[in-house]
Amino acid sequence: MPTIAVDKAALFKALGQEYTTEEFDELCFEFGIELDEDTSNTERPGVNGKQEAPQLKIEIPANRYDMLCFEGISLMLNIFLGRKPSPQYRLVAPPNGELQTITVHEQTSRVRPYVSGAVLRNITFTKERYESFIALQDKLHQNLARQRTLVAIGTHDLDTLQGPFTYEALPPEDVEFIPLNQTKKMNGAELMEFYENDKHLSRYLHIIRDSPAYPVIYDSKRTVCSLPPIINGDHTKISIKTRNVFIECTALDKTKVEIVINILVAMFSQYTDEQFAVEPIKIISKHNHETRLVPDLTPRETQAEISYINDCCGLSLSAEDICKLLKRMSYTAKPSNTSKDLIDVHIPPTRADVLHQADIMEDVAIGYGFNNLPRSFPSKSGTVAQPLMINKLTDIVRLEAAMAGWSEVMPLILCSHDENFGLLNRKDDGNTAVKLANPKTAEYQVVRTSLLPGLLKTIRENKHHSVPIKIFDASDVAFKDMSLERKSRNERHFAAAWYGKSSGFEVVHGLMDRIMLMLKSAFITSEEGLEGKGAGDSAYWIEEVDDPTFFPGHAASIHLRLCGQEKVIGVFGILHPTVLDNFELRYPVSTLEINIEVFL
């Protein structure tokens, strides 16, 4: 969870009360956040010859992006304590009535297709407010924006610019400007080289470096505002004296860009002359039908069931009582006219984490007080636990293998590309394995498509143990599947490996027969033919297979007939000598791998 450091004296002044460390710790607990440290009684670093002011380091839940700054923490706690009402955010047109616009060019679809923005007009910064404004952008970049890959924020002094604005994608050599806090003009290619060793910005260069076109935002005079997601232009940099702030956000994800802009303007619109007033801008994006007015600060409307909230919390609250508790959590709620069991809830624009009535129920519990909730375990429960069928089946197979004398291992699901393909004498067709885009090490390049690499690596690292070594694994592998929305699917496999002075082929075969018998699948011999016993139920047989992973003539595929359908569910055999050499194994190894999902 992110940890936010705030000035202790400033926060207590904003809350209108002094607290001891214990009292503030209790307040944080009641609200659902956690006081990590009070630096009052510790040695603090010096700043300009003076000791740093005491700070409170507060852990914020990962879903509360609206509390990643001093402004959000003080506002939410004041509302929780009943000292301030929930803010009513408003969109207000500029004095001349003409909105700023950003026209999006179609070429941006190839790099960062979405853009949003707003104007904070007549804002008053102090040193503390300015630092908090910059810090919030950094926190949003690191958390919600995933290191600027999904969203990048640019803030500019509007008085140095002249609208309307354009959002374009141009070749790197065509983008020229003076980067923030620099004096030399550079083009896109030179900028990449200049910041290659920069401690702060170098980590973001990979996002667009290899793109044929770089995203850039211009004003009407072709002044570069920013080169997202890398850096702003020096011409438009903001300072404590800035009165009108132009905010632009570019993104790969439309939902997240709207969340980011809403949180940024909501937190700092309290410092504008007209409090909680935000000046909208118009996005003109005809090519993808994304022309709209932003930001949208309209509260989302939803409903929650009173019976659901009471059942989960073990309470008997009325609709009015629930509405009062939700008011403490910055909601606006009232009893519904459509049903006595419903309340109408207006979710503030800063609470993008509220997706279900379960989230509303949680905030009711916080408003009521976790310590005040009745304790009724185990006579009451909001849920009834039940294992997934695939996990239940896996546990049955695991137990059977363990009782047969095999030891379970649990290798990592990531492995190197060579381990998954080359070392097993298999070829990568490019359509099988899910590959990591930016692997940190050569050991973790792909999501495994077979359990065998993990088993063989385990044996390799335990060769000093006495033989035979009998191990198994029952877990997921992954495959590309372009027919699915996520473009991949998991598959539950069972695999076993025997390592000893003899091949152990018959032992692995026996384990397979035991597993299949336990799964109520009858073995069909060649003498019986496919119409033999078990013809109307589940039955299996084996056929010789030519697989480069295994020794020629010593491998077989496992065929299953289930509910009238036939399919190959796995393979077993003695590994090829080259595979043994690849994994540095000196004794023979026999392996078995089957897909157990087909038995569901």
Side-chain angles (χ1 to χ4, degrees):
M1 296 190 294
T3 300
I4 310 301
V6 297
D7 185 279
K8 181 178 180 179
L11 181 59
F12 289 173
K13 181 180 179 181
L15 296 178
Q17 180 181 339
E18 292 292 324
Y19 293 88
T20 65
T21 302
E22 292 73 20
E23 289 172 341
F24 188 72
D25 188 29
E26 182 64 24
L27 173 62
C28 288
F29 175 79
E30 289 177 3
F31 189 73
I33 57 181
E34 183 179 348
L35 177 62
D36 188 50
E37 183 184 358
D38 181 352
T39 65
S40 300
N41 302 319
T42 60
E43 190 68 28
R44 301 186 299 278
V47 179
N48 296 327
K50 296 182 180 179
Q51 193 176 40
E52 181 186 65
Q55 291 189 327
L56 298 171
K57 296 182 179 180
I58 304 172
E59 279 194 11
I60 305 298
N63 62 312
R64 292 302 301 266
Y65 305 116
D66 57 321
M67 297 182 69
L68 291 176
C69 60
F70 171 89
E71 289 72 18
I73 294 172
S74 61
L75 178 62
M76 292 303 120
L77 288 179
N78 269 319
I79 295 172
F80 180 72
L81 295 170
R83 292 173 182 153
K84 283 186 179 181
S86 298
Q88 302 299 314
Y89 300 105
R90 307 180 311 283
L91 296 181
V92 178
N96 62 6
E98 294 184 10
L99 298 180
Q100 298 288 353
T101 64
I102 300 179
T103 301
V104 183
H105 290 204
E106 187 174 357
Q107 293 82 356
T108 58
S109 300
R110 297 181 297 170
V111 253
R112 299 176 78 82
Y114 300 107
V115 65
S116 187
V119 173
L120 291 176
R121 195 171 288 277
N122 297 321
I123 190 171
T124 302
F125 281 125
T126 62
K127 179 177 179 293
E128 293 74 22
R129 293 174 183 179
Y130 177 80
E131 290 175 351
S132 180
F133 186 59
I134 301 301
L136 176 59
Q137 294 175 56
D138 189 53
K139 288 291 184 183
L140 290 172
H141 276 150
Q142 304 309 315
N143 293 278
L144 183 63
R146 296 291 186 271
Q147 302 286 344
R148 301 192 190 181
T149 55
L150 298 180
V151 183
I153 308 166
T155 53
H156 314 276
D157 187 337
L158 183 60
D159 295 330
T160 65
L161 296 166
Q162 180 67 50
F165 300 89
T166 58
Y167 176 41
E168 307 175 23
L170 300 173
E173 295 75 15
D174 294 348
V175 181
E176 288 191 345
F177 68 106
I178 300 174
L180 185 65
N181 296 327
Q182 299 298 324
T183 56
K184 178 186 175 183
K185 181 179 285 190
M186 311 177 196
N187 63 32
E190 292 169 339
L191 184 141
M192 289 292 170
E193 186 177 348
F194 181 80
Y195 286 109
E196 193 167 20
N197 297 317
D198 187 90
K199 182 174 66 174
H200 176 61
L201 294 178
S202 59
R203 73 184 88 166
Y204 308 121
L205 300 183
H206 71 90
I207 301 174
I208 62 167
R209 167 175 259 161
D210 297 328
S211 173
Y214 287 1
V216 59
I217 294 181
Y218 288 104
D219 75 349
S220 60
K221 296 181 179 179
R222 302 301 287 176
T223 301
V224 172
C225 299
S226 68
L227 180 75
I230 310 301
I231 196 167
N232 294 343
D234 188 69
H235 178 82
T236 66
K237 67 180 178 183
I238 64 172
S239 66
I240 296 176
K241 297 179 181 179
T242 299
R243 288 286 288 162
N244 300 304
V245 179
F246 170 61
I247 306 171
E248 44 83 4
C249 294
T250 59
L252 296 177
D253 187 305
K254 182 183 175 183
T255 301
K256 284 185 169 57
V257 75
E258 302 300 356
I259 294 172
V260 166
I261 197 70
N262 284 355
I263 290 173
L264 198 56
V265 299
M267 293 302 102
F268 286 87
S269 59
Q270 58 186 289
Y271 297 139
T272 56
D273 290 353
E274 190 177 349
Q275 200 173 39
F276 302 119
V278 179
E279 182 181 317
I281 65 174
K282 186 176 182 180
I283 305 297
I284 302 173
S285 185
K286 297 179 180 178
H287 66 278
N288 58 1
H289 309 291
E290 289 293 339
T291 298
R292 64 198 189 281
L293 200 67
V294 292
D296 183 4
L297 298 177
T298 307
R300 289 182 291 133
E301 297 181 8
T302 188
Q303 291 182 318
E305 298 172 354
I306 297 172
S307 57
Y308 172 81
I309 294 173
N310 283 328
D311 287 346
C312 291
C313 298
L315 302 172
S316 300
L317 299 174
S318 66
E320 290 75 14
D321 291 336
I322 292 175
C323 292
K324 289 179 182 178
L325 293 176
L326 288 176
K327 185 178 179 181
R328 297 187 69 192
M329 303 304 294
S330 195
Y331 294 85
T332 302
K334 63 179 181 179
S336 176
N337 295 325
T338 58
S339 172
K340 292 183 179 180
D341 191 42
L342 293 175
I343 55 172
D344 295 329
V345 183
H346 291 256
I347 304 169
T350 54
R351 292 297 305 276
D353 60 297
V354 179
L355 304 174
H356 186 272
Q357 65 174 349
D359 301 308
I360 296 173
M361 175 273 296
E362 181 187 9
D363 281 338
V364 170
I366 293 173
Y368 188 83
F370 283 134
N371 288 333
N372 299 326
L373 295 175
R375 300 185 180 185
S376 54
F377 182 83
S379 60
K380 286 186 179 181
S381 177
T383 59
V384 178
Q386 181 177 343
L388 293 173
M389 293 304 295
I390 184 62
N391 291 337
K392 190 173 183 179
L393 173 63
T394 303
D395 288 342
I396 293 171
V397 175
R398 291 170 57 236
L399 182 62
E400 199 65 32
M403 289 193 298
W406 295 69
S407 300
E408 184 177 16
V409 297
M410 300 180 70
L412 298 175
I413 196 170
L414 297 179
C415 62
S416 74
H417 184 274
D418 284 345
E419 290 168 348
N420 197 69
F421 293 104
L423 300 188
L424 293 175
N425 292 343
R426 294 174 178 173
K427 294 183 179 180
D428 181 12
D429 61 3
N431 299 314
T432 304
V434 177
K435 300 177 183 178
L436 275 65
N438 295 295
K440 295 296 183 183
T441 70
E443 289 183 279
Y444 308 125
Q445 294 174 319
V446 300
V447 183
R448 64 187 177 191
T449 59
S450 168
L451 298 180
L452 296 187
L455 295 179
L456 297 178
K457 285 195 294 182
T458 301
I459 295 174
R460 181 185 66 195
E461 301 304 321
N462 292 274
K463 289 185 296 186
H464 58 280
H465 287 281
S466 59
V467 293
I469 296 176
K470 301 190 297 180
I471 58 175
F472 76 91
D473 185 17
S475 51
D476 281 355
V477 297
F479 298 97
K480 281 186 180 179
D481 191 339
M482 304 310 290
S483 64
L484 300 177
E485 182 181 5
R486 61 182 180 275
K487 309 302 181 186
S488 65
R489 61 181 170 85
N490 283 16
E491 208 173 78
R492 188 65 55 86
H493 280 201
F494 171 83
W498 162 286
Y499 174 72
K501 294 182 179 180
S502 62
S503 70
F505 180 82
E506 68 283 356
V507 183
V508 171
H509 196 328
L511 176 64
M512 180 198 69
D513 288 339
R514 178 59 193 163
I515 296 293
M516 299 300 285
L517 178 63
M518 181 271 304
L519 293 172
K520 298 182 179 179
S521 188
F523 181 61
I524 300 176
T525 64
S526 58
E527 291 80 7
E528 295 170 330
L530 296 183
E531 300 303 323
K533 63 182 180 180
D537 302 309
S538 174
Y540 75 99
W541 66 95
I542 60 176
E543 297 180 6
E544 184 177 342
V545 66
D546 183 17
D547 189 323
T549 302
F550 300 97
F551 197 77
H554 292 75
S557 57
I558 307 165
H559 297 252
L560 177 72
R561 182 174 62 231
L562 189 65
C563 300
Q565 295 184 340
E566 297 179 5
K567 58 181 71 178
V568 177
I569 64 168
V571 64
F572 72 104
I574 304 173
L575 292 183
H576 197 282
T578 57
V579 175
L580 299 181
D581 288 341
N582 292 337
F583 284 93
E584 303 172 16
L585 304 176
R586 58 178 177 170
Y587 292 136
V589 177
S590 291
T591 63
L592 158 73
E593 183 167 13
I594 59 174
N595 173 16
I596 61 175
E597 279 197 16
V598 297
F599 292 97
L600 289 177

